[in-house]
Amino acid sequence: MYTQSVEISAAADDENDARLAAFEAKLDRGIAIEADDWMPAAYRETLVRQISQHAHSEYVGMLPEANWISRAPSLERKCVLLAKVQDEAGHALYLYSAAETLGTSRDEMLAALLSGRAKYSSIFNYPTLTWADVGTIGWLVDGAAIINQVPLTRCSYGPYARAMVRVCKEESFHQRQGFDVLATLCSGTPEQRALAQDALDRWWWPAVMMFGPPDAQSSHNERSMRWKIKHFTNDELRQRFVDQTVPQAAHLGLTIPDPALRFNAERGHYDFGTPNWDEFFAVLRGGGPCNRERLGARVAAHDDGAWVRAAAAAHALKRAERATSVA
Ligand code: FAQ
């Protein structure tokens, strides 16, 4: 009896080893892992974690800019902003769908967000005080999102990688509209230029921190890189963001609020100051200026939508009953 159970468990180990080897061979050859493929439980777990946090970020990220839809300075700006905010809702939907292919339902993911258990991007816990903040979000936040997400189009998990292709195209439009808002302000009156500078002063460091904790404090960098979920570390992408954004700020005539910022010819990159990581971790723990407000808005929207979910469920039930009675 004992010998038989040892044999069974040895056979199961062999089968697992073979599956793991096949999984790793696919990663090595750059073949995408698909929803029906075998994958290690921890790979599935980290994907659900990252993709759902990403979806929550898009979903909560609608709020700071939506705050300005009714106050956009022209009909054209209003239409563009409306389209951008709707795009963010679309991104959340693709991402929730991509995460669902891993076996976690959208209801479970939303319950984690609304109860405060799940994370979403730190950046969306800062307030949009002026119209210039809308331009700055497009320029810096969508700009940072593109830098982070273009490599994700090559992520090893197929459904996530494919969702990222369209998301990145839309984020490019968002970034350009933000830059255009700021370019208009920066070529306007001294008061308008001051609004743009003030927005950059408040958003610069939160944008730099969006890329996540420094590599030395990142808990997932190493394994996610090995699994080709991430292709670059947090610090590598942060450097890319600074290098790309400094000339854009110069073009706008704005000053980046970092006295340590200077081009290092030896490295071929900009050196920059250290973000306030205590602030970053405090925001992650729920202590940012708008954490309560953002989550409160999402909980209220979910409660307000209860009748829609009830109506959709009743409709689905009716259709199912009709289908059974016809059969
Ligand atoms: N905020 O070990 P790592 C957008 C957490 S979309 C909050 O480095 P990882 C579009 C991290 O989750 C913006 N939490 O983790 C838009 C982990 O927590 P856990 C969102 C953060 O996953 C524009 C812990 O810290 N983009 O902007 C943050 O390897 C305008 C340890 O960190 C994505 O989500 C943060 N900033 O790397 C919408 C992209 N950073 O789970 C509206 C996909 C880290 O252990 C308007 N995600 N944490 O409890 C990623 O690329 C990665 O998940 C990183 C973090 C790079 C964000």
Side-chain angles (χ1 to χ4, degrees):
M1 187 73 171
Y2 174 73
T3 326
Q4 196 184 9
S5 72
V6 169
E7 274 168 13
I8 290 171
S9 95
D13 282 351
D14 285 349
E15 197 186 337
N16 252 345
D17 288 349
R19 286 164 156 179
L20 187 60
F23 168 81
E24 285 173 349
K26 274 192 177 171
L27 291 185
D28 289 344
R29 283 158 44 215
I31 298 173
I33 308 297
E34 297 297 338
D36 292 340
D37 292 344
W38 183 89
M39 59 187 86
Y43 176 83
R44 185 185 298 277
E45 228 169 78
T46 206
L47 278 170
V48 171
R49 175 191 65 78
Q50 176 168 327
I51 303 172
S52 64
Q53 286 177 4
H54 193 167
H56 300 328
S57 304
E58 303 279 358
Y59 184 45
V60 175
M62 296 163 69
L63 295 168
E65 289 167 285
N67 181 33
W68 279 88
I69 291 173
S70 61
R71 291 175 288 163
S74 70
L75 181 61
E76 193 192 344
R77 291 286 188 210
K78 185 176 178 135
C79 292
V80 173
L81 182 58
L82 201 55
K84 178 191 191 295
V85 172
Q86 286 173 343
D87 283 350
E88 308 300 358
H91 298 175
L93 292 178
Y94 312 147
L95 287 161
Y96 283 127
S97 300
E100 279 186 311
T101 63
L102 291 154
T104 304
S105 73
R106 194 185 310 176
D107 284 348
E108 287 173 81
M109 291 183 263
L110 273 178
L113 171 70
L114 300 177
S115 64
R117 277 181 287 125
K119 289 193 172 74
Y120 58 88
S121 182
S122 50
I123 192 79
F124 301 118
N125 292 304
Y126 292 86
T128 39
L129 304 179
T130 73
W131 172 249
D133 291 21
V134 171
T136 307
I137 289 180
W139 173 38
L140 296 184
V141 177
D142 286 278
I146 293 166
I147 289 173
N148 170 266
Q149 288 166 195
V150 167
L152 290 174
T153 62
R154 292 185 288 114
C155 159
S156 55
Y157 187 57
Y160 189 28
R162 289 190 289 274
M164 280 298 105
V165 174
R166 178 165 172 179
V167 169
C168 285
K169 286 186 182 160
E170 291 175 351
E171 303 290 27
S172 297
F173 147 66
H174 299 167
Q175 203 256 359
R176 275 159 182 254
Q177 71 82 36
F179 193 80
D180 187 63
V181 167
L182 282 183
T184 304
L185 290 174
C186 290
S187 59
T189 63
E191 288 80 6
Q192 287 173 314
R193 282 199 292 279
L195 274 185
Q197 183 62 55
D198 170 63
L200 176 59
D201 290 347
R202 286 180 289 106
W203 287 92
W204 174 253
W205 288 109
V208 170
M209 292 192 276
M210 257 182 89
F211 293 89
D215 290 352
Q217 282 171 271
S218 157
S219 31
H220 306 290
N221 255 349
E222 198 229 312
R223 203 161 59 166
S224 290
M225 299 269 289
R226 186 155 35 85
W227 279 334
K228 298 190 177 166
I229 295 171
K230 283 167 120 172
H231 288 276
F232 299 97
T233 70
N234 300 353
D235 287 337
E236 285 167 344
L237 294 177
R238 197 178 344 269
Q239 179 72 63
R240 198 174 280 193
F241 171 73
V242 173
D243 289 346
Q244 178 180 297
T245 313
V246 172
Q248 296 172 355
H251 181 81
L252 291 169
L254 296 174
T255 306
I256 290 179
D258 179 359
L261 188 70
R262 64 183 57 84
F263 190 71
N264 181 329
E266 223 168 273
R267 291 200 309 122
H269 294 288
Y270 283 90
D271 290 338
F272 56 98
T274 306
N276 181 346
W277 291 117
D278 290 343
E279 174 183 318
F280 173 77
F281 289 113
V283 172
L284 260 57
R285 287 193 301 271
C290 297
N291 287 64
R292 270 165 168 258
E293 185 186 330
R294 299 291 183 239
L295 209 52
R298 277 298 156 235
V299 169
H302 189 74
D303 292 349
D304 287 350
W307 70 271
V308 180
R309 292 189 297 280
H315 179 67
L317 187 67
K318 272 247 155 58
R319 275 178 62 150
E321 281 170 0
R322 225 175 293 138
T324 347
S325 71
V326 170

